[in-house]
Amino acid sequence: MVKFLKPGKAVIILNGRFAGRKAVIIRSFDDGTRDRPYGHCLVAGIAKYPRKVIRKDSAKKTAKKSRVKAFLKVVNYTHIMPTRYTLDVDLKEIVTLDALQSRDKKVTACKETKARFEERFKTGKNRWFFTKLRF
Amino acid sequence: MAPVKKAKKSTESINNRLALVMKSGKYTLGYKTVLRSLRNSKGKLVIIANNCPPLRKSEIEYYAMLGKVGVHHFNGNNVDLGTACGKYFRVCCLSIIDPGDSDIIKSLPGDH
């Protein structure tokens, strides 16, 4: 009876091109909108996970391996699997509905999301979120 | 002998309570609507048949754990659960949204 599809919740995308990827809910629309009459949410996820870094790697290699590619998507609730994890990144101002209207706005929003994800990954927190789901 | 009798009696009362919910309360039957009711936090109790596929069972239990909703594993398969609901089809899982006159919500979640 507790609402759990809230901003900050880590979810796994189940369908589509990004199936199997982890994402975080930025904004949720429980009752839908006129264009999407179903429950859906805006998520920011990881398209390409950072690779595993070993001790032998040089600084240049570590930097290359720690890169993250992000994606933004509006996704139906039935196509995500919520998890018990959360990720508190402040992406509310960057990832908005009108950032997804045009291609170059989306690209800038993705770049900013990528930067935030990378700095969160480098701190070593939320390690579950940045590991690839094996299936 | 005595514990067996008690088990039988409590399944009887679950069926009675379920019949009362069907008559006076609100419920949804079926996997898709159960997940929907858990997502929009309308569901108050989820009942799963015992021959529910284990992946589906764990998925419903996980959603219920996230939403802090009780899950009851019905002592019978989906045919029996459908009969208990008074329907002529099989019901694998159901979600009670509003128990009506029944006390099923208060009496059951000693289970999960």
Side-chain angles (χ1 to χ4, degrees), chain A residues 1-2 4-5 9 77-78 80-84, chain B residues 38-39 41 43-44 59 62-63 66-69:
Chain A
M1 244 184 340
V2 169
F4 49 85
L5 286 171
K9 176 66 89 180
Y77 278 163
T78 56
I80 60 178
M81 177 73 203
T83 64
R84 61 181 169 93
Chain B
L38 286 172
R39 265 185 222 119
S41 55
K44 304 214 173 26
E59 188 179 0
Y62 195 79
Y63 268 81
L66 288 176
K68 301 207 207 320
V69 171

Side-chain angles (χ1 to χ4, degrees), chain A residues 47-93:
Chain A
K48 250 194 231 178
Y49 287 93
R51 309 249 302 274
K52 193 162 155 62
V53 174
I54 55 179
R55 214 153 62 109
K56 226 166 61 158
D57 289 334
S58 61
K60 198 164 81 148
K61 217 168 184 164
T62 313
K64 262 212 158 177
K65 279 189 178 179
S66 310
R67 287 188 308 184
V68 169
K69 183 161 152 84
F71 70 88
L72 309 173
K73 194 165 169 55
V74 180
V75 65
N76 191 340
Y77 278 163
T78 56
H79 301 153
I80 60 178
M81 177 73 203
T83 64
R84 61 181 169 93
Y85 298 94
T86 56
L87 183 80
D88 55 340
V89 285
D90 190 23
L91 286 168
K92 260 199 324 267
E93 295 84 37

Side-chain angles (χ1 to χ4, degrees), chain B residues 40-95:
Chain B
N40 57 19
S41 55
K42 292 251 173 54
K44 304 214 173 26
L45 176 68
V46 172
I47 300 180
I48 306 182
N50 68 1
N51 66 343
C52 183
L55 183 61
R56 185 181 293 190
K57 181 164 33 169
S58 350
E59 188 179 0
I60 297 179
E61 285 172 352
Y62 195 79
Y63 268 81
M65 176 270 290
L66 288 176
K68 301 207 207 320
V69 171
V71 170
H72 181 253
H73 295 97
F74 187 73
N75 191 4
N77 61 5
N78 47 6
V79 179
D80 300 333
L81 189 49
T83 310
C85 297
K87 308 287 179 192
Y88 290 108
F89 45 81
R90 295 174 285 261
V91 170
C92 189
C93 45
L94 69 97
S95 160

Side-chain angles (χ1 to χ4, degrees), chain A residues 14-127:
Chain A
L14 296 174
N15 290 35
R17 189 156 59 106
F18 299 112
R21 304 273 197 271
K22 297 179 188 169
V24 59
I25 296 182
I26 309 287
R27 198 164 158 212
S28 66
F29 304 89
D30 284 334
D31 299 316
T33 57
R34 173 78 62 77
D35 308 319
R36 290 174 182 263
Y38 46 81
H40 59 285
C41 53
L42 191 66
V43 297
I46 303 184
K48 250 194 231 178
Y49 287 93
R51 309 249 302 274
K52 193 162 155 62
V53 174
I54 55 179
R55 214 153 62 109
K56 226 166 61 158
D57 289 334
S58 61
K60 198 164 81 148
K61 217 168 184 164
T62 313
K64 262 212 158 177
K65 279 189 178 179
S66 310
R67 287 188 308 184
V68 169
K69 183 161 152 84
F71 70 88
L72 309 173
K73 194 165 169 55
V74 180
V75 65
N76 191 340
Y77 278 163
T78 56
H79 301 153
I80 60 178
M81 177 73 203
T83 64
R84 61 181 169 93
Y85 298 94
T86 56
L87 183 80
D88 55 340
V89 285
D90 190 23
L91 286 168
K92 260 199 324 267
E93 295 84 37
I94 309 165
V95 180
T96 56
L97 266 185
D98 62 61
L100 278 111
Q101 299 301 0
S102 80
R103 171 55 66 118
D104 45 340
K105 276 199 252 185
K106 189 171 181 179
V107 164
T108 44
C110 265
K111 284 212 177 103
E112 185 58 48
T113 317
K114 168 188 156 77
R116 297 276 173 97
F117 277 167
E118 273 179 12
E119 70 173 290
R120 180 54 67 94
F121 171 65
K122 292 203 174 93
T123 65
K125 294 205 272 231
N126 306 114
R127 195 162 294 205

Side-chain angles (χ1 to χ4, degrees), chain B residues 13-28:
Chain B
S13 59
I14 288 171
N15 288 0
N16 291 345
R17 292 199 179 103
L18 205 49
L20 194 49
V21 173
M22 295 294 134
K23 208 162 44 161
S24 63
K26 288 207 184 57
Y27 56 91
T28 65

